[in-house]
Amino acid sequence: MSLKELHLAHTQGFCAGVVNAIDIVDLSIQKFGTPLYVRHAIVHNTSVIKDFESRGVIFIENLSDVPNDQVVVFSAHGTAPNVYEEAKQRNLTIVDATCPLVTKVHRQARRYSERGIHIILIGHRGHQELIGTSGYIDAALLHVVEDANDIDSLSIPTDAEVGVLTQTTLSVDDTSDLIHKLRGKFPNLVTGGKEDICYATQNRQDAVKVLANKCDLIIVVGSSNSSNSNRLVETSKLMGVDSFIIDLPEELDITQLDQFRVIGVTSGASVPSYLIDRLVQKIKLHSPSVRIFQEDTIEKNILFPLPKEVADMRP
Ligand code: SF4
């Protein structure tokens, strides 16, 4: 069998939050120089991180690794309030690259917490966004749910008022199943009307569903620590289409494609478009007669504001 068609997901790659976060680091390098300290990977993509490292950015997890009076950029995934406090006490200049859509979840977390109601936070334990959001919630009120088993083991009284928040990069379908199950257990469940999954996550999963209707295989470009990229693989598999993730085009064993007629390619929200270009070139070299299809992205003109520390630097 030989490869006939390559379909590129209509919406993939950088979201507005990632564009903003990368701009913030770029502008901070220009304004403050290097070394520039960034707390946590600015976005979960190894190519982006390596590029910044080569330009003098130092990624750290603990503020104790930042010398006093320096500038520190906080990553797009959000940061817990105690870390802001520590930075202020150390006289560090904070440039906050938290995605505004994550900040929105933080605000709701604080509101629920101040009301003193139990809060169920749906997300992946250990993920930076979950750690950041958890910091806005009184520990005695916080219940993390990762899957349906966690719901069975919740010890909150079933007649209690319970608020629900979610990580922004979850599977839309899995999360809606979990919320359905939670409603069955807690009739007084309070949600913001819809889960907190962001537009970019939703659009990329929708685009994979479109691909899955016409492809025999879907390749997802994304780093292994990227939540939204991993969800794209799951979305494809749930639609019955084989899928795998690669961080770099060079990782693809091109002979694998010989068993497929129609393949799809997509990428997570933190993946630079040059990686997709390189992958397409590699596929074209191997299968010169392959026909390539791509529809227009549905995301247009989404731009988030820059923090005041670098706002004057936007060209
Ligand atoms: S994936 Fe969503 S929440 Fe995360 S940075 Fe992008 S727009 Fe923001």
Side-chain angles (χ1 to χ4, degrees):
M1 200 187 298
S2 68
L3 187 60
K4 300 275 184 239
E5 295 180 8
L6 166 59
H7 293 262
L8 297 163
H10 63 67
T11 303
Q12 57 170 295
F14 281 2
C15 61
V18 165
V19 169
N20 210 40
I22 289 175
D23 281 354
I24 288 169
V25 177
D26 269 328
L27 296 174
S28 297
I29 293 172
Q30 288 174 41
K31 182 160 178 173
F32 304 109
T34 55
L36 176 76
Y37 294 87
V38 177
R39 186 176 178 275
H40 194 70
I42 183 73
V43 298
H44 285 158
N45 183 269
T46 49
S47 300
V48 172
I49 298 304
K50 280 188 183 157
D51 175 56
F52 277 133
E53 282 175 338
S54 73
R55 295 164 58 197
V57 172
I58 298 175
F59 292 95
I60 50 102
E61 294 299 326
N62 298 312
L63 286 188
S64 54
D65 294 327
V66 183
N68 283 343
D69 305 319
Q70 287 288 314
V71 175
V72 61
V73 180
F74 285 170
S75 84
H77 313 94
T79 300
N82 64 313
V83 183
Y84 286 87
E85 206 40 56
E86 187 188 340
K88 279 180 202 150
Q89 278 169 13
R90 297 266 323 283
N91 207 26
L92 302 177
T93 300
I94 301 168
V95 185
D96 195 354
T98 303
C99 176
L101 303 184
V102 175
T103 303
K104 201 170 133 214
V105 181
H106 291 172
R107 278 197 223 104
Q108 189 59 30
R110 204 190 276 280
R111 278 195 286 266
Y112 283 151
S113 195
E114 283 169 0
R115 270 169 65 184
I117 63 173
H118 288 280
I119 300 159
I120 293 172
L121 177 56
I122 304 177
H124 300 289
R125 289 186 179 88
H127 188 280
Q128 192 63 24
E129 185 183 327
L130 198 95
I131 295 168
T133 303
S134 299
Y136 292 82
I137 300 171
D138 181 338
L141 301 171
L142 172 66
H143 309 267
V144 174
V145 161
E146 202 164 339
D147 55 31
N149 291 335
D150 288 336
I151 297 178
D152 293 333
S153 16
L154 285 170
S155 57
I156 308 168
T158 52
D159 60 349
E161 194 183 7
V162 179
V164 177
L165 298 167
T166 78
Q167 202 176 312
T168 55
T169 51
L170 301 179
S171 152
V172 175
D173 296 336
D174 289 354
T175 306
S176 128
D177 288 349
L178 290 175
I179 289 182
H180 183 74
K181 185 169 166 111
L182 283 169
R183 278 193 204 290
K185 184 161 179 172
F186 303 105
N188 296 324
L189 200 72
V190 188
T191 66
K194 106 185 221 323
E195 51 274 12
D196 306 300
I197 294 169
C198 75
Y199 79 95
T201 300
Q202 169 96 53
N203 289 345
R204 281 152 191 71
Q205 288 174 24
D206 288 349
V208 162
K209 289 178 184 174
V210 173
L211 283 186
N213 282 323
K214 47 193 164 200
C215 299
D216 313 314
L217 169 77
I218 295 176
I219 302 171
V220 177
V221 181
S223 295
S224 57
N225 60 345
S226 162
S227 171
N228 81 86
S229 303
N230 284 304
R231 302 295 80 76
L232 298 179
V233 174
E234 287 171 11
T235 303
S236 174
K237 287 184 174 169
L238 276 171
M239 297 275 294
V241 176
D242 198 5
S243 180
F244 56 81
I245 189 167
I246 52 172
D247 200 3
L248 297 170
E250 293 70 25
E251 289 171 12
L252 175 69
D253 171 5
I254 198 78
T255 59
Q256 267 182 288
L257 304 188
D258 293 342
Q259 48 183 313
F260 298 100
R261 239 189 98 260
V262 182
I263 67 164
V265 166
T266 189
S267 54
S270 49
V271 176
S273 59
Y274 62 76
L275 292 180
I276 301 303
D277 295 343
R278 265 179 20 214
L279 179 62
V280 170
Q281 282 311 314
K282 180 171 177 167
I283 295 171
K284 267 167 57 181
L285 257 180
H286 182 73
S287 307
S289 60
V290 68
R291 294 175 63 210
I292 299 173
F293 299 85
Q294 181 167 32
E295 289 166 32
D296 244 11
T297 176
I298 61 167
E299 290 174 4
K300 312 260 191 231
N301 307 323
I302 304 173
L303 195 65
F304 293 146
L306 289 168
K308 64 177 184 331
E309 290 76 13
V310 290
D312 57 322
M313 301 291 289
R314 183 168 255 167

